[in-house]
Amino acid sequence: MPRPREFDTDTVLAAAVDTFVRHGYTGASVDQILDAVGIRRASLYNAFGSKRGLFLTALCSTHSTMPLLLVALMDLAPSDPSVRQEIREKLVAENIDARALGDAILTRACIERKGTA
């Protein structure tokens, strides 16, 4: 019989989102994630299967943010069809268009758009 989780999933997902947004998917090491979320390696793997599993759970969760979506677009989507599909669904569900994505990219890069009202 599996042991009950000794952590709050919402808290872990929120901390994981922060870590992935700060470091990117590839830049975030498992050790950095573990430090941020405050759980043991075995707990992470038992609950989410892998770093990728944690990322996808976060991307599909209510904790997902535009910056996390940008990380998914830049780090995973080019080589991962299932991530591309999840992003497509999220864009439709949240009514995010190309302009909103472009604005988010510029904001993340600390670039102010000229000529906007």
Side-chain angles (χ1 to χ4, degrees):
M1 183 166 156
R3 292 175 38 189
R5 289 192 180 150
E6 297 177 2
F7 60 86
D8 179 64
T9 302
D10 285 338
T11 302
V12 167
L13 290 175
V17 167
D18 289 343
T19 304
F20 286 124
V21 167
R22 187 174 310 114
H23 300 285
Y25 177 78
T26 23
S29 70
V30 172
D31 287 333
Q32 286 173 318
I33 294 166
L34 293 173
D35 286 344
V37 302
I39 62 175
R40 294 188 322 237
R41 187 175 301 268
S43 295
L44 179 125
Y45 288 109
N46 286 335
F48 303 102
S50 64
K51 173 182 158 181
R52 183 179 182 280
L54 174 62
F55 184 87
L56 291 175
T57 302
L59 184 63
C60 296
S61 77
T62 58
H63 297 281
S64 184
T65 62
M66 180 65 85
L68 187 67
L69 182 61
L70 295 178
V71 170
L73 281 164
M74 301 304 294
D75 286 5
L76 294 174
S79 62
D80 191 325
S82 63
V83 171
R84 282 196 300 272
Q85 182 59 37
E86 182 59 40
I87 291 169
R88 279 188 202 102
E89 292 171 10
K90 191 165 218 45
L91 293 174
V92 170
E94 297 184 17
N95 199 28
I96 300 170
D97 62 10
R99 182 179 180 117
L101 280 173
D103 288 344
I105 290 168
L106 292 173
T107 298
R108 181 147 169 88
C110 300
I111 298 172
E112 185 178 329
R113 271 184 20 150
K114 302 289 182 191
T116 59

